[in-house]
Structures are given as structure tokens and as C-alpha cells.
Amino acid sequence: MFTRMEVGRIAGITVYLDMMFVLVLLVFTYPYFVGGNMQMMSAGFIVVVGLLLSILLHELGHAFAGRLFKAHASHIELTGLGGIAHFERSLPRSSLARSAIYLAGPAVNLGLWQGLGWLAGGAAGSGNPMLALPLAVLASANFFLMCFNLLPAYPLDGGLTLDAWLGALLGPTWSVRIVACLGLAVAVAVAFYALPTGIFMLFVAFFLAQANWEALQSVGGWSRRR
């Protein structure tokens, strides 16, 4: 039912847009478009475009950081669960290099949160609340994206960063075990946060639980035999 389409290339990186991504954006922003108010519809359009660009810039942060370490991204996918930067080959073994690549995405969200918050404050101070509203929403969304992506769970940036350092200290098997168990705890916490009506976040919790359970099973569970 849902297909992806190529929307262009940025610095040689092909960008694909999954139709599920569009659907999720519309689900989150539909209140702006149902009242028939043109100002609210304009604000909704700014929010939709801003969210798309925020997630795209997050992934471009990973891609451009990768280039600093000779790891080139082949393409970026914008999916219903966010975005994914696909690299042409394995990332460097260096924990520092991996951390720089993984944390570049949340760093972009940090900059957007601060910048959009400043613009929202300026718009409100100049008597333009209908511009301040979508800018404030986008600032809050980027703060959420930054915090969520820093959680210690696969395949989030925080989990991958923790895995890089634990792998250097304890070896790859124990690093996966530790991060995967933390990830399962994060999935449970997200599920409790989403109850009873946060259907999308429940779906995210299920995705996190599945990804971290599979990671744990890939190293034989919590057994010491591997």
C-alpha cells in the first residue's frame, strides 16, 4: 500500500520519501487543517514542512559527519518511524568516530531547537502570534527528537553511541547485551508513556522492543556462553 519515491539528491545523496512518512505527518498535524481557518492551515503547512526538513537535516547530519571519516552515505530514507541514513560501507571502528557520526543527528536537532525557539520568541515579541505558533511547535518537536534519539536503545543514536564505547571496553557481545536490555526497558517506558491513547508511540514502543529483543537474541541472550 505504501511506497517510497525519490524526491531528489543533496550533495550526491539520494533522498527517498516513504508515503507512510507523509501519513504520519498528516495524522499529527490534521487539527490545523480541519477548522477551515486559513491562518491555522498556513501554520499547519509550516509545521508539516518544518518537521520534514528537521528529520531530513538530522539524517544529513549523520551523512556529513560520516564524510569526515571517509564513510559516505549512499541514500537517506524518510520513513514512518523517522529517517535512516544508509552508508556505503561499515562505519570506522574508532569509538570516537562512530560517536561523532551517531551524535551529529541529535546535534542538528539541538541547533534547530535553539534557533527555532529564538525565532518563535522574536515573532511573538513583534506581534505575530500566528508565525510564533508553528515555530514554537517545531522548536518543541526538535527538542523531543533530540531527547528521544539519545535514549539508550537500538537503533537510536544514543544506543549506538553507547554500544560503540561499551564494545571497546567489554567486547561486542556484552555491549549488545547491555544496550539491548536497556533498550527493552526503554520500550516498556515508552509504552507506559503512550497509554492509553498514544497509538503511534505504542507502535514505536513495539518497534523498539522488537529491535532490541532481536539484538539480544543475536548474541545468545544473557547467557555467558558467547
Side-chain angles (χ1 to χ4, degrees):
M1 178 177 178
F2 298 104
T3 59
R4 73 174 189 175
M5 57 182 291
E6 181 179 334
V7 295
R9 295 172 65 86
I10 300 175
I13 304 169
T14 305
V15 179
Y16 294 99
L17 177 64
D18 193 311
M19 292 300 103
M20 178 65 85
F21 182 88
V22 177
L23 177 61
V24 170
L25 281 186
L26 292 177
V27 166
F28 276 102
T29 59
Y30 81 92
Y32 291 97
F33 302 102
V34 295
N37 184 305
M38 289 303 296
Q39 287 186 317
M40 288 300 293
M41 291 176 68
S42 298
F45 178 77
I46 294 173
V47 171
V48 168
V49 174
L51 287 173
L52 190 153
L53 290 176
S54 295
I55 296 174
L56 175 59
L57 289 171
H58 174 106
E59 299 306 325
L60 286 172
H62 292 309
F64 291 144
R67 288 186 175 184
L68 297 176
F69 301 97
K70 302 187 185 305
H72 295 273
S74 59
H75 62 282
I76 289 172
E77 287 185 272
L78 301 179
T79 74
L81 290 172
I84 308 171
H86 296 269
F87 289 88
E88 295 175 349
R89 59 181 180 84
S90 299
L91 297 182
R93 291 188 177 184
S94 165
S95 300
L96 185 60
R98 285 176 174 260
S99 297
I101 295 170
Y102 295 142
L103 296 179
V108 170
N109 295 125
L110 173 62
L112 290 172
W113 168 44
Q114 293 293 320
L116 290 166
W118 180 80
L119 290 174
S126 63
N128 195 345
M130 293 310 298
L131 179 59
L133 171 63
L135 291 175
V137 169
L138 289 171
S140 298
N142 274 279
F143 177 74
F144 171 81
L145 288 171
M146 177 187 69
C147 293
F148 180 76
N149 276 283
L150 290 175
L151 292 174
Y154 294 120
L156 303 178
D157 300 322
L160 295 173
T161 301
L162 181 59
D163 175 80
W165 289 100
L166 288 177
L169 294 172
L170 304 175
T173 298
W174 276 104
S175 69
V176 171
R177 286 172 178 160
I178 293 170
V179 175
C181 287
L182 289 173
L184 291 172
V186 167
V188 172
V190 171
F192 273 106
Y193 171 80
L195 292 173
T197 58
I199 302 301
F200 176 74
M201 291 306 295
L202 284 173
F203 181 70
V204 171
F206 173 78
F207 167 75
L208 290 176
Q210 182 181 42
N212 285 277
W213 178 255
E214 289 178 354
L216 185 59
Q217 296 309 302
S218 72
V219 293
W222 197 252
S223 168
R224 292 178 177 272
R225 289 176 295 176
R226 293 190 59 173

